[in-house]
Amino acid sequence: MDGPHLGVVLPNYGEAFDPGRLAGAAVAAEEAGLDSGWTTDHVLPPSGHAGVYGTIAEALVAVGFLAGSTRRLQLGVSALIVPQREPLLTLKQLVSLDVLSGGRLITAVAAGWMEEEFQTLGASFGDRGRRLDQWLELAGELLRQAPGRVVADGPVPVSDAWLAPAPTRPEGLELWVAGVSRHTLRRAARTGVWHPVALPLRELRSMAAAFRAEAPEGRVVLRLAVTVQDRLEAAADERGRHMVAGPARWVAEQLNDYLEAGADGFVVDLGHDRPGLEERIAGFAAEVGPQLLARRPAGT
């Protein structure tokens, strides 16, 4: 069996943002043999969140930038807040990035949580989940018709348009669904990949079981902050959420517990906004990666 999917959060945001550092981290992930590198999506957050998300390169633009710096690494957005964006333009941008990167794009989509940002962008907040569901349906309908003339009924009608090129995969874009609500699980069952963030082990186990009750062949890829260090300690990520911090062997044991509980892989934040990220990426790949269990057999 293959090993678990291993991705890393890239530094397209944070006070230490720098284009060279962003590209360097992606190259380091590729050279270390990781599967994927991930940008984070916010556009114009309110000043109250500026300490974390105020300095940020737009996620899709950053993916395009990184596609030119890498050759093998899959490039993702975790997570794209689709209801903040114009739906048809978003679809065209994703298809274009997929084609221009040689099929390396992964897009985790989410309904979003930062209400003030929705207001700034002129997007309604209360119906964001419904509009994400509508976008997933619209994207599937249009991509089944591409390349060529596409039409669609519904909340975003398309009476006559031409969508080409088509995505590189016959089944369309690779879409994951991010979030930790029960409705997120139903949404993820449609795309086949659930992408929770910072869930403790017990919650991951129960929710992964619920997800696979609806999608037996589905995959679970957890985003989780990880710090490999000599001392073992309880810690929290930049937003106060669950994370793992300790020696490499202990970190591997924690991640293996997640794999046994139903995860198929991880997108780890190794401290995207601290100096030495490239070295931490290489260290994680060399010290933790080889200790991880093989991927859960499909359907179990």
Side-chain angles (χ1 to χ4, degrees), residues 68-195:
S69 302
T70 55
R71 294 293 177 266
R72 177 198 59 80
L73 190 72
Q74 292 178 289
L75 299 169
V77 183
S78 172
L80 189 71
I81 311 304
V82 169
Q84 290 183 345
R85 296 169 176 261
E86 201 288 321
L88 294 174
L89 176 59
T90 299
L91 178 60
K92 182 65 175 182
Q93 288 172 319
L94 294 179
V95 172
S96 299
L97 284 170
D98 178 70
V99 172
L100 292 171
S101 67
R104 293 186 286 141
L105 179 69
I106 305 173
T107 308
V109 299
W113 58 273
M114 193 180 289
E115 185 171 2
E116 302 95 329
E117 187 173 31
F118 275 74
Q119 293 172 351
T120 297
L121 297 174
S124 60
F125 185 76
D127 63 347
R128 64 196 186 284
R130 178 177 59 82
R131 289 189 293 113
L132 176 55
D133 289 333
Q134 291 170 347
W135 184 86
L136 287 169
E137 183 176 348
L138 174 69
E141 184 175 357
L142 295 185
L143 292 178
R144 282 189 291 271
Q145 301 171 58
R149 183 176 181 268
V150 296
V151 297
D153 297 322
V156 184
V158 179
S159 60
D160 177 32
W162 197 273
L163 178 57
T168 56
R169 306 188 318 161
E171 60 271 34
L173 295 168
E174 182 164 355
L175 297 174
W176 299 4
V177 173
V180 294
S181 70
R182 292 292 171 177
H183 191 79
T184 293
L185 298 183
R186 294 191 293 272
R187 191 176 289 138
R190 297 174 55 187
T191 71
V193 186
W194 176 42
H195 183 50

Side-chain angles (χ1 to χ4, degrees), residues 8 33 39 60 103 121 154 187 229 274:
V8 65
T39 64
L60 298 184
L121 297 174
R187 191 176 289 138
Q229 59 188 26
R274 292 188 283 116

Side-chain angles (χ1 to χ4, degrees), residues 216-276:
E217 302 298 318
R219 293 186 295 139
V220 177
V221 184
L222 173 68
R223 176 167 171 158
L224 183 69
V226 171
T227 298
V228 179
Q229 59 188 26
D230 292 338
R231 66 187 185 281
L232 178 63
E233 66 176 349
D237 72 4
E238 60 193 3
R239 286 176 47 195
R241 301 172 299 188
H242 176 70
M243 68 173 291
V244 171
R249 182 182 295 276
W250 186 84
V251 167
E253 290 173 355
Q254 303 306 302
L255 298 185
N256 281 331
D257 286 345
Y258 274 108
L259 293 171
E260 292 178 337
D264 297 281
F266 307 94
V267 173
V268 294
D269 188 341
L270 298 176
H272 69 276
D273 202 26
R274 292 188 283 116

